[in-house]
Amino acid sequence: MAKVPVQFTLNGSEKAEFVESGTTLLHALRDKIGDTSPKGGCHQGTCGACSVIIDGELRLSCLTLAETCGGADIRTTAGLAEGGVLHPLQRAFLDGFATQCGFCTPGMIMAAKVLLDHTPNPSREDVVEALSGSICRCTGYEPIIQAVLAAARANSQNAA
Amino acid sequence: MAIRRGRGVAAINYPTGMNLGGDPTQALVHSTPTGNFMVTLSSVDLGQGMKQIMAQICAETIGVPTDRVVIDTADTDTGPHCMGTFASRGTHRAGNAVIQAAKEARQVMLEVAAEELEVNASDLETDGQGNIQVKGAPQRSISIFDVALSAHFKRGRSISGRGMFLIPRSYPEKETGAMKPSTCYAHACTVAEVEVDDETGEVTVLTVKNVFEIGRALNPKMVEQQLVGGSWMGISHALYETTEPYYPSRDHAGTDFNQYLMPGPGDLAETEIIVLERPSADGPFGAKGPGEMCANPQIPAVANAVFDAVGVRIDTLPITPERILRALKAQAAS
Ligand code: FES
Ligand code: FES
């Protein structure tokens, strides 16, 4: 099949790749570009593990064709830390023991980031709603909900 | 037709590991030239925290900070033998093996330090910060870094140790059939409160209160993490999850996450966890295996709560609205 060129920014840096037409963004990110932070859980849009942020919106990279991402601003969990300093969400997940096997974690963090970008002081219901597209086998969700609320509190303290 | 409330209780004993044809796990420990300690295992960390716990156990036994220990669980082909990570056996079996291996390595380490300090090895102690010192005279000390360098480059000694922990096979007694399936049991008790809609058969779990007796909690935060996740998983098994809804028929079997139901973050019951620590006789530092045990008592507790609410006994999992409605219908007919 013919390859198509695609160019986008990933976590702030320019990427250019030739991909087979029909390649998912998940496949392009993991196997071509080498950013393995989005995980492939179901490859059919039901688990949330592959969530990334495209132009500020939460998207499932397993259901997004790479060739539709020309010119897009793509963000993944791998780009959150600044130097050695973890993003407040990463910090809160770590401090709150909100990750066990870690497979859902990047998707959860992406979903939480989009929430906090739009709603800096979310209610518990807001958090539950934001995470509802992601499934977790290990934690029972409560530690994840608490971590997102803790990150929101940390953010607003820093802002104050 | 109404929403009916019920409360159920259940208590369990849960074995740590199982009686295979003998249940062994092996561990090897060696120091690097700079005095870090490698623990080689074939036991696998699935996210339950095996690596952290093994590092703590090794560090505590050798007398070094935890961050001086590296756990290598990389390869079950080339690593020392382990029966595997299952049956809540990891901490108990591998932990005991690591203690034995670490003791042997510690002994060699102290012997090398003794030669360097020109004292008797039995007069030495570790300070837990990475140094070895003479008991009662801490100013006479040597860093473990220097001990490792000496062992490697001067004295030609390998600071290492071998550990093997074996639960021997238990055969049933001929007369009674009695046997010992496990040497160590964790315990739990759960009280669940539910609401059952007797029109739709839908169950909502309102609260789950759990008490877990898990031996010594070697890492209390990680134990809590297991128990919170496990309590949720127990409810998930009680009410939602199955690969075989009409077993043995494969009809309507879930094939993906659209059909294989698990409760999401919006379906959580108010959950309480209480930990009781009764150190086990044969566990590493008194630990037992809390991993799988913690997802069990919620299931009978929810079944009992459903009975309390609407008077029907559901004995097939998961307790779906369909099963409840069929049971209510049968109850009304009789
Ligand atoms: S891998 Fe994309 S939603 Fe599961
Ligand atoms: S931490 Fe294992 S799936 Fe969420």
Side-chain angles (χ1 to χ4, degrees):
Chain A
M1 202 183 285
K3 298 214 174 187
V4 284
V6 54
Q7 239 178 316
F8 49 72
T9 52
L10 176 63
N11 299 320
S13 62
E14 291 282 339
K15 300 286 172 198
E17 275 295 334
F18 285 100
V19 297
E20 312 240 314
S21 187
T23 299
T24 64
L25 178 62
L26 177 64
H27 181 68
L29 289 175
R30 290 181 57 87
D31 301 321
K32 298 225 142 217
I33 293 170
D35 179 352
T36 55
S37 65
K39 306 295 177 207
C42 65
H43 301 274
Q44 59 171 189
T46 53
C47 75
C50 66
S51 300
V52 299
I53 302 174
I54 303 179
D55 295 331
E57 303 226 357
L58 189 68
R59 298 278 293 275
L60 298 172
S61 64
C62 74
L63 296 186
T64 304
L65 296 183
E67 63 209 83
T68 65
C69 296
D73 173 21
I74 300 175
R75 305 270 156 181
T76 67
T77 308
L80 281 184
E82 287 185 26
V85 182
L86 294 181
H87 185 275
L89 274 165
Q90 292 172 306
R91 185 82 254 159
F93 269 63
L94 201 58
D95 291 347
F97 286 75
T99 177
Q100 286 185 38
C101 78
F103 200 82
C104 71
T105 310
M108 292 284 183
I109 287 185
M110 288 288 98
K113 176 153 192 325
V114 172
L115 169 72
L116 297 190
D117 286 349
H118 292 114
T119 315
N121 293 305
S123 66
R124 184 190 164 90
E125 287 66 41
D126 294 335
V127 175
V128 165
E129 177 67 28
L131 300 179
S132 63
S134 300
I135 56 180
C136 174
R137 175 77 276 179
C138 309
T139 62
Y141 298 103
E142 189 61 37
I144 298 179
I145 297 169
Q146 294 305 329
V148 177
L149 290 169
R153 280 196 301 274
N155 280 342
S156 58
Q157 266 160 22
N158 285 347
Chain B
M1 295 292 156
I3 305 271
R4 300 186 187 278
R5 227 171 227 244
R7 184 186 289 162
V9 60
I12 61 159
N13 300 330
Y14 201 91
T16 296
M18 54 208 266
N19 180 27
L20 305 154
D23 187 11
T25 284
Q26 198 180 357
L28 298 172
V29 172
H30 76 271
S31 94
T32 65
T34 54
N36 285 329
F37 287 86
M38 295 289 309
V39 180
T40 316
L41 292 167
S42 294
S43 324
V44 173
D45 193 333
L46 314 167
Q48 78 280 44
M50 176 105 188
K51 286 185 173 175
Q52 170 66 23
I53 297 300
M54 292 307 124
Q56 285 178 227
I57 288 174
C58 179
E60 181 76 19
T61 308
I62 296 184
V64 294
T66 306
D67 62 9
R68 297 287 291 272
V69 178
V70 179
I71 306 293
D72 177 8
T73 58
D75 192 337
T76 53
D77 272 347
T78 56
H81 176 225
C82 175
M83 291 297 274
T85 303
F86 59 88
S88 308
R89 68 188 286 290
T91 295
H92 189 270
R93 307 295 199 261
N96 275 323
V98 167
I99 288 178
Q100 194 183 66
K103 275 187 179 159
E104 194 173 299
R106 176 183 162 96
Q107 186 52 33
V108 181
M109 176 183 83
L110 293 180
E111 284 167 18
V112 173
E115 288 177 39
E116 288 296 320
L117 293 171
E118 298 177 8
V119 294
N120 203 314
S122 60
D123 291 332
L124 292 175
E125 63 187 8
T126 43
D127 71 351
Q129 310 297 318
N131 303 295
I132 297 168
Q133 63 200 23
V134 177
K135 284 179 198 162
Q139 69 283 5
R140 292 206 56 199
S141 82
I142 181 169
S143 72
I144 290 172
F145 184 97
D146 286 335
V147 172
L149 283 179
S150 159
H152 280 255
F153 294 102
K154 202 158 112 195
R155 307 201 179 264
R157 306 240 3 220
S158 167
I159 301 181
S160 56
R162 303 150 298 168
M164 173 62 104
F165 184 69
L166 171 67
I167 299 283
R169 179 167 187 177
S170 160
Y171 290 91
E173 280 173 30
K174 286 232 165 52
E175 289 301 311
T176 61
M179 66 181 302
K180 211 173 182 188
S182 181
T183 61
C184 173
Y185 289 82
H187 307 90
C189 181
T190 293
V191 178
E193 254 188 311
V194 304
E195 272 178 2
V196 183
D197 184 327
D198 65 7
E199 188 171 8
T200 64
E202 201 174 335
V203 179
T204 308
V205 181
L206 303 171
T207 64
V208 234
K209 299 186 193 312
N210 306 283
V211 181
F212 297 109
E213 189 286 295
I214 54 123
R216 190 176 331 254
L218 300 189
N219 185 315
K221 283 303 284 183
M222 283 170 52
V223 164
E224 183 190 321
Q225 183 183 38
Q226 282 288 299
L227 303 182
V228 171
S231 178
W232 166 83
M233 198 187 284
I235 298 204
S236 186
H237 287 313
L239 296 179
Y240 301 91
E241 290 184 47
T242 179
T243 51
E244 310 279 345
Y246 296 98
Y247 183 82
S249 157
R250 289 286 295 147
D251 297 346
H252 307 287
T255 54
D256 58 36
F257 291 131
N258 280 317
Q259 295 159 358
Y260 185 88
L261 292 186
M262 277 164 53
D267 308 308
L268 304 183
E270 189 187 314
T271 302
E272 193 175 323
I273 306 281
I274 291 173
V275 175
L276 297 180
E277 293 183 87
R278 302 267 162 81
S280 68
D282 70 347
F285 301 105
K288 298 178 178 178
E292 290 177 349
M293 171 275 283
C294 65
N296 279 267
Q298 301 79 19
I299 302 171
V302 166
N304 287 338
V306 168
F307 176 72
D308 188 41
V310 289
V312 293
R313 283 255 167 238
I314 311 297
D315 58 9
T316 308
L317 294 174
I319 303 168
T320 56
E322 176 183 340
R323 292 198 167 114
I324 290 178
L325 291 181
R326 285 185 192 283
L328 285 173
K329 206 165 154 189
Q331 185 192 47
S334 65

